[in-house]
């Protein structure tokens, strides 16, 4: 009689399926175990039994020549595939994967992306193009649920398998699953529930699986256990020949693939993350698995009590009064609801209803605050130290330990004091990761209180960082080496000196002096050849920030200052001529760059550069060929700095308005008044200068100018606009009679004046 394998149809990441599978393997005691999965992962299976392997984990398969072309195969401790590996390793039985190779899957995926995944069109009889809609895939579990009287397939499977995983006859249950899923699959095929491409994909995968099963039956005399998704059982039972299976997988493309273990997370196991095989509540499934695996729980009472105690603890962390007595009451209520609904143990619905009633007193908002931690979970897997990993992944783990930063799925914020070794180490690590496009941390504040020694980072870990580390291998084998080489490579291919300036900044804050020096050389060479004033301004700003506030790190300050002076001298010499005949986009970019550059020069406090810059501002105000927004910004800066008197500002303002077209006048005014409404309110000269201009317009010019003026005030919020109107209505203030007599001697003020000037940056 022909031998047949034992097919165990499971649900990926189902604790009930895992419990049934463990029981079935104990009863069957197979000679080998085959698991749905890419064969490239066979070499990784032996690591699963190591004590330091703590799920959730994933096998990462990536193209050797293109790490971004990658796929993950995740496992939780309650995943049947993980349980099958553990059982086989514990019993010394051969175990391997039998799905189609990742080499094929990734090659086909790459080809599909290159084809842009465009929908296929068919030409109708009239010659017009008509898109053929893909058939919607029916869920076979929904068909079974309907026949069994359940509302949906998820509820059906949970009630039958996942929450009934203990105490059942596992072999009989799997036989029933096989019969039901085979029938449902046939019903779906008859209904045309799969597209041709989906159908071909499934046929190819199952052809590979059948080939591996045939090989195992030849190699082993004992029973062969096959662990696959329940959907595939019917396909694997199909009677096909070796030739037929080989023909359907013949000539499939392949690429070279690397495989490694990578940490995974509860959030990425959830269906809400977009993971196709995800589950609704990983946290709940882990709790179920603790019941089935006997991890310290004895019966439904302890099961319910532990869940409600965990819920109460999370609620107390959020500031709610969730007492132990209320947790006990919630556990009893959950058990009562389970009994009423004919369940052996309370399900998630019963637990939630009991929590809402006894612990949250009917307030769903309280429960919503802890649902993420409770139902999804926040666990991130760990890999045993003895497992070989990519060099960058290993160095990443070493950095995490040195810097004492632990990956967490939930977003978090850290504040670093760069004067401490610990803070500087964390900052260096995060900056280097950003240079190799691993954006674990995003810098949100590096200049609070002009942040000389302070950084604030938002941290957000994701499993895809493993792919990023694989991609970065082209630059080096350590984080430091990869960051340095990546920075130099980008500097060599940079478009514009502004980008080079940012690279210099990035290299210096990441403590990569050689890379910074190389990028400075690139920047100097590029600055000689450029005539783009806007780009030069953008380049100066980050360099000034480094020199002025980067004193927590060792910097080549003389070289940087020399570079800043050279760039700034070039800007000052060419800004007036370079601000003529600009188009709208170039003008907008110039105004933004001028504001940042003007502020940077004030921070740098180089007297010669400042004097020349301010002289150029005055020249641009009187240059009729300079574009209006640049003139408006120049005049505003002269006013703000107190370099021109009220009469000079008023006269220049009138010259730019009287006789000009509404478009030019509007552009000038918009740049002149841009900023905070509070500044306009407090600056009486500025406010009434604009008020007098508006009041002096005739009706026709006023109507033409109104849209432009409204656009100029668009940055003010409604409260700010209201306060501006109230201030205008109040009229000009009279000079205060309580002014300090400037001739009165005040020794204390005189002694404090030098320090005050230094603080305000006026000592230059």
């Amino acid at each position: 009689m022909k031998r047949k394998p034992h097919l165990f149809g499971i649900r990926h990441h189902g604790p009930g399926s895992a419990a049934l599978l463990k029981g079935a393997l104990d009863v069957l005691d197979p000679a080998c175990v085959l698991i749905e999965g890419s064969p490239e992962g066979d070499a990784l299976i032996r690591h699963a039994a190591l004590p330091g392997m703590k799920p959730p984990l994933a096998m990462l398969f990536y193209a050797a020549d293109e790490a971004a072309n990658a796929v993950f195969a995740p496992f939780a401790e309650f995943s049947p595939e993980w349980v099958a590996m553990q059982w086989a390793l514990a019993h010394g039985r051969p175990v391997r994967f039998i799905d189609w190779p990742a080499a094929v899957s990734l090659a086909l995926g790459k080809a599909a992306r290159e084809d842009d995944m465009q929908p296929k069109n068919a030409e109708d009889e009239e010659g017009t193009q008509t898109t053929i809609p893909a058939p919607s895939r029916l869920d076979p579990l929904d068909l079974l649920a309907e026949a069994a009287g359940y509302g949906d397939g998820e509820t059906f499977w949970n009630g039958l398998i996942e929450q009934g995983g203990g105490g059942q006859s596992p072999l009989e249950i799997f036989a029933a699953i096989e019969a039901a899923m085979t029938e449902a699959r046939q019903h779906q095929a008859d209904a045309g529930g799969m597209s041709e491409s989906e159908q071909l994909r499934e046929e190819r995968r199952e052809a590979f699986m059948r080939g591996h099963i045939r090989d195992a039956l030849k190699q082993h005399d004992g029973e062969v256990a096959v662990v696959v998704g329940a959907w595939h059982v019917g396909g694997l039972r199909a009677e096909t020949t070796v030739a037929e299976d080989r023909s359907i997988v013949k000539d499939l493309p392949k690429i070279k693939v690397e495989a490694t273990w990578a940490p995974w997370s509860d959030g990425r196991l959830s269906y809400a993350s977009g993971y196709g095989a995800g589950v609704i509540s990983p946290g709940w499934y882990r709790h179920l698995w603790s019941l089935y695996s006997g991890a310290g729980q004895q019966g439904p009472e302890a099961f319910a009590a532990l869940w409600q105690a965990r819920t109460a603890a999370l609620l107390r962390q959020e500031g709610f009064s969730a007492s132990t007595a209320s947790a006990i009451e919630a556990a009893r209520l959950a058990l009562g609801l389970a009994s009423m609904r004919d369940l052996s143990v309370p399900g998630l619905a019963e637990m939630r209803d009991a929590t809402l009633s006894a612990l949250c007193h009917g307030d769903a908002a309280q429960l919503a605050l802890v649902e993420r931690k409770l139902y999804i979970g926040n666990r991130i897997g760990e890999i045993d130290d003895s497992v070989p990993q990519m060099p960058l992944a290993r160095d990443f783990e070493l950095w995490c330990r040195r810097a004492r930063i632990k990956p967490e799925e939930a977003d978090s914020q850290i504040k670093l004091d760069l004067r401490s070794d610990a803070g500087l180490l964390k900052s260096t690590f995060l900056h280097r990761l950003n240079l190799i496009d691993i954006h674990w941390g995003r810098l949100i504040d590096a200049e609070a209180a002009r942040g000389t020694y302070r950084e604030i980072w938002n941290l957000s870990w994701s499993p895809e960082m493993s792919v990023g580390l694989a991609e970065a291998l082209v630059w080096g084998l350590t984080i430091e080496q990869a960051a340095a080489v990546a920075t130099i490579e980008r500097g060599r291919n940079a478009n514009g000196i502004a980008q080079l300036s940012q690279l210099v900044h990035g290299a210096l804050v990441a403590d990569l002096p050689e890379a910074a020096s190389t990028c400075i050389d690139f920047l100097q060479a590029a600055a000689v050849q450029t005539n783009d004033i806007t780009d030069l301004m953008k380049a100066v700003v980050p360099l000034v920030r480094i020199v002025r506030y980067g004193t927590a790190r060792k910097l080549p300050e003389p070289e940087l200052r020399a570079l800043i002076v050279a760039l700034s001298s070039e800007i000052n010499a060419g800004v007036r001529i370079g601000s003529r005949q600009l188009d709208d986009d170039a003008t907008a970019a110039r105004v933004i760059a001028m504001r940042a550059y003007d502020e940077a020069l004030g921070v740098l406090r180089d007297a010669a550069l400042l004097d020349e810059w301010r002289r150029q501002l005055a020249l641009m105000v009187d240059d009729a060929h300079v574009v209006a927004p640049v003139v408006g910004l120049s005049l505003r800066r002269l006013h703000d700095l107190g370099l021109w008197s009220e009469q000079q500002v008023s006269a220049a303002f009138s010259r730019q308005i009287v006789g000009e077209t509404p478009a030019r006048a509007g552009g000038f005014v918009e740049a002149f008044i841009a900023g905070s409404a509070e500044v306009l309110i407090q600056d009486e000269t500025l406010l009434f200068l604009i008020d007098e201009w508006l009041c002096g317009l005739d009706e026709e010019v006023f109507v033409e100018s109104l849209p432009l003026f409204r656009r100029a005030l668009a940055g003010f919020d409604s409260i700010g606009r209201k306060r501006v109107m109230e201030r205008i209505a109040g009229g000009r203030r009279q000079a205060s009679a309580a002014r300090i007599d400037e001739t009165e001697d005040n020794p204390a003020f005189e002694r404090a004046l030098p320090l005050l000037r230094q603080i305000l940056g006026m000592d230059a």
Side-chain angles (χ1 to χ4, degrees):
M1 190 172 93
K2 183 179 179 181
R3 292 174 61 207
K4 291 185 177 181
H6 289 267
L7 303 182
F8 298 125
I10 51 89
R11 175 181 185 170
H12 304 296
H13 317 305
S17 296
L20 285 170
L21 177 62
K22 186 175 185 300
L25 293 174
D26 286 338
V27 172
L28 186 64
D29 194 22
C32 77
V33 178
L34 307 180
I35 304 173
E36 178 185 338
S38 298
E40 289 91 343
D42 287 350
L44 304 178
I45 293 176
R46 60 189 175 88
H47 303 133
L50 295 174
M53 299 292 280
K54 299 178 181 179
L57 297 168
M59 290 181 180
L60 168 61
F61 305 101
Y62 61 94
D65 60 348
E66 184 187 2
N69 185 17
V71 64
F72 290 94
F75 304 95
E77 66 268 40
F78 48 80
S79 298
E81 299 90 340
W82 180 263
V83 171
M85 284 189 281
Q86 297 287 348
W87 187 95
L89 293 170
H91 290 78
R93 305 298 159 77
V95 54
R96 63 177 185 266
F97 292 115
I98 62 171
D99 205 345
W100 65 352
V104 171
S105 175
L106 294 176
L108 291 174
K110 181 179 181 180
R113 286 191 298 275
E114 290 174 351
D115 196 34
D116 294 329
M117 298 294 288
Q118 294 296 325
K120 303 303 181 182
N121 293 326
E123 192 169 306
D124 61 24
E125 294 180 355
E126 297 181 358
T128 59
Q129 293 293 315
T130 306
T131 299
I132 301 176
S136 58
R137 181 168 182 174
L138 303 173
D139 187 343
L141 287 180
D142 287 343
L143 300 175
L144 296 175
E146 184 179 354
Y150 285 82
D152 58 82
E154 182 77 20
T155 304
F156 164 74
W157 186 270
N158 278 332
L160 184 66
I161 304 298
E162 304 309 340
Q163 290 176 201
Q168 303 182 60
S169 174
L171 294 179
E172 293 179 3
I173 290 293
F174 278 119
I177 290 173
E178 179 176 342
M181 292 300 293
T182 300
E183 183 65 27
R185 176 169 171 150
Q186 184 59 49
H187 185 279
Q188 186 187 62
D190 294 341
M194 293 178 66
S195 66
E196 290 184 7
S197 61
E198 287 177 322
Q199 183 69 34
L200 179 60
R201 182 177 185 273
E202 297 302 310
E203 289 175 357
R204 285 170 167 171
R205 291 181 62 193
E206 289 165 358
F208 276 107
M209 294 185 202
R210 286 191 294 266
H212 285 288
I213 292 171
R214 290 190 189 100
D215 293 341
L217 289 171
K218 291 177 182 178
Q219 295 168 5
H220 302 280
D221 294 332
E223 303 292 349
V224 174
V226 182
V227 182
V228 295
W231 166 261
H232 293 294
V233 173
L236 298 184
R237 287 293 188 204
E239 294 291 338
T240 61
T241 65
V242 174
E244 289 172 340
D245 284 343
R246 286 179 178 174
S247 67
I248 199 172
V249 299
K250 183 181 178 182
D251 298 329
L252 283 175
K254 291 184 179 181
I255 56 177
K256 186 178 179 181
V257 168
E258 303 287 346
T260 186
W261 284 105
W264 203 248
S265 67
D266 284 346
R268 293 307 178 98
L269 280 173
S270 71
Y271 185 77
S273 71
Y275 173 38
V279 295
I280 292 178
S281 178
W284 170 250
Y285 272 12
R286 179 173 292 113
H287 188 64
L288 271 177
W289 178 242
S290 68
L291 173 66
Y292 300 150
S293 61
Q297 294 189 27
Q298 300 294 329
E301 292 79 10
F303 173 74
L306 183 58
W307 179 262
Q308 297 298 344
R310 184 178 300 152
T311 307
L314 290 174
L315 286 169
R316 286 194 293 270
Q317 290 177 12
E318 296 295 333
F320 299 108
S321 56
S323 66
T324 302
S326 296
I328 294 172
E329 187 63 29
R332 290 173 177 169
L333 180 55
L335 292 167
L337 289 172
S339 178
M340 292 172 59
R341 297 169 184 175
D342 199 23
L343 298 172
S344 58
V345 294
L348 183 58
E350 289 71 40
M351 290 291 201
R352 190 182 189 281
D353 289 345
T355 298
L356 190 59
S357 177
L359 283 170
C360 299
H361 312 292
D363 186 359
Q366 292 186 27
L367 186 56
L369 290 174
V370 299
E371 280 183 325
R372 167 78 188 185
K373 293 180 181 178
L374 187 64
Y375 298 143
I376 302 299
N378 55 9
R379 184 176 299 184
I380 293 177
E382 298 178 13
I383 298 173
D384 193 273
D385 290 339
S386 63
V387 175
Q389 294 188 68
M390 297 178 295
L392 273 179
R394 174 63 64 191
D395 194 47
F396 175 84
E397 288 189 357
L398 293 175
W399 265 102
C400 287
R401 293 173 189 171
R402 287 176 56 201
R404 297 184 179 180
I405 305 179
K406 185 177 180 180
E408 296 179 352
E409 187 173 31
D411 289 358
S412 60
Q413 188 178 98
I414 59 172
K415 298 179 180 180
L416 304 181
D417 185 346
L418 304 185
R419 292 169 295 184
S420 69
D421 291 340
L424 189 57
L425 190 66
K426 290 183 175 71
S427 173
T428 300
F429 178 37
L430 294 172
H431 278 297
R432 287 179 178 177
L433 287 178
N434 279 336
L435 289 175
I436 57 174
D437 292 329
I438 307 294
H439 299 292
W440 183 10
R442 296 189 182 276
L443 190 61
I444 59 174
D445 185 0
E447 295 180 29
R450 284 303 181 198
T452 313
Y453 297 105
R454 176 185 170 193
E455 287 181 349
I456 302 176
W457 292 81
N458 265 347
L459 300 184
S460 181
W461 181 90
S462 74
E464 283 74 13
M465 286 166 53
S466 299
V467 177
L469 290 171
E471 289 184 283
L473 279 171
V474 299
W475 291 316
L477 302 181
T478 67
I479 300 294
E480 179 178 3
Q481 183 186 51
V485 174
T487 302
I488 293 172
E489 186 66 20
R490 287 173 182 148
R492 187 173 288 112
N493 301 317
N495 295 319
I497 63 173
Q499 184 179 354
L500 281 167
S501 180
Q502 291 292 345
L503 288 171
V504 172
H505 177 274
L508 288 171
V509 297
D511 193 20
L512 301 171
E514 292 183 4
S517 178
T518 302
C519 288
I520 288 174
D521 292 340
F522 291 152
L523 180 56
Q524 289 174 327
V528 172
Q529 301 178 12
T530 188
N531 57 3
D532 190 330
I533 299 298
T534 300
D535 249 11
L536 288 169
M537 289 178 174
K538 290 179 181 178
V540 166
V541 174
L543 297 179
V544 169
R545 191 181 302 130
I546 296 170
V547 171
R548 182 66 179 89
Y549 302 128
T551 51
R553 297 176 172 88
K554 296 179 181 179
L555 303 174
E557 187 169 342
E559 293 88 344
L560 282 177
R561 280 193 173 272
L563 179 59
I564 292 169
V565 169
L567 294 176
S568 299
S569 299
E570 187 75 18
I571 292 168
N572 292 345
V575 65
R576 182 165 66 93
I577 303 300
S579 296
R580 298 172 177 176
Q581 298 179 342
L582 299 177
D583 61 27
D584 292 344
D585 291 340
T587 298
R590 174 63 56 82
V591 168
I592 294 172
M594 281 180 63
R595 288 197 180 98
Y597 174 71
D598 179 83
E599 182 181 357
L601 285 188
V603 169
L604 186 65
R605 292 160 59 184
D606 184 297
L609 290 177
L610 270 175
D611 289 344
E612 178 58 25
W613 170 245
R614 291 168 180 174
R615 190 177 76 85
Q616 291 299 324
L617 291 177
L619 292 175
M620 285 190 287
V621 170
D622 292 327
D623 191 330
H625 300 289
V626 172
V627 291
V630 170
V631 175
L633 174 61
S634 300
L635 183 60
R636 174 65 181 273
R637 290 304 298 147
L638 293 170
H639 167 71
D640 289 345
L641 294 168
L643 300 176
W644 278 17
S645 66
E646 182 177 343
Q647 291 76 18
Q648 286 178 292
V649 173
S650 297
F653 187 90
S654 298
R655 289 197 303 272
Q656 298 299 324
I657 296 299
V658 176
E660 294 292 346
T661 64
R664 180 173 175 85
F668 166 81
V669 172
E670 182 178 358
F672 184 72
I673 68 174
S676 169
E678 190 64 32
V679 173
L680 199 59
I681 293 166
Q682 299 300 327
D683 192 329
E684 183 177 272
T685 300
L686 188 63
L687 180 63
F688 284 94
L689 181 66
I690 298 169
D691 181 51
E692 290 169 2
W693 164 66
L694 278 174
C695 293
L697 297 177
D698 59 42
E699 183 176 354
E700 182 179 354
V701 176
F702 177 82
V703 171
E704 292 178 350
S705 303
L706 188 58
L708 298 169
F709 188 65
R710 289 187 63 182
R711 188 178 69 179
L713 297 178
F716 297 175
D717 57 28
S718 58
I719 296 176
R721 287 195 288 267
K722 182 179 179 181
R723 292 189 62 200
V724 168
M725 294 303 296
E726 291 174 349
R727 179 69 191 88
I728 292 174
R732 286 182 179 267
R733 296 191 183 100
Q734 298 296 321
S736 172
R739 291 182 62 187
I740 298 174
D741 187 351
E742 296 179 359
T743 62
E744 182 180 348
D745 292 336
N746 190 335
F749 180 77
E750 292 295 333
R751 287 195 300 273
L753 188 57
L755 178 60
L756 181 61
R757 287 183 177 275
Q758 185 176 359
I759 292 173
L760 295 176
M762 299 171 61
D763 53 342

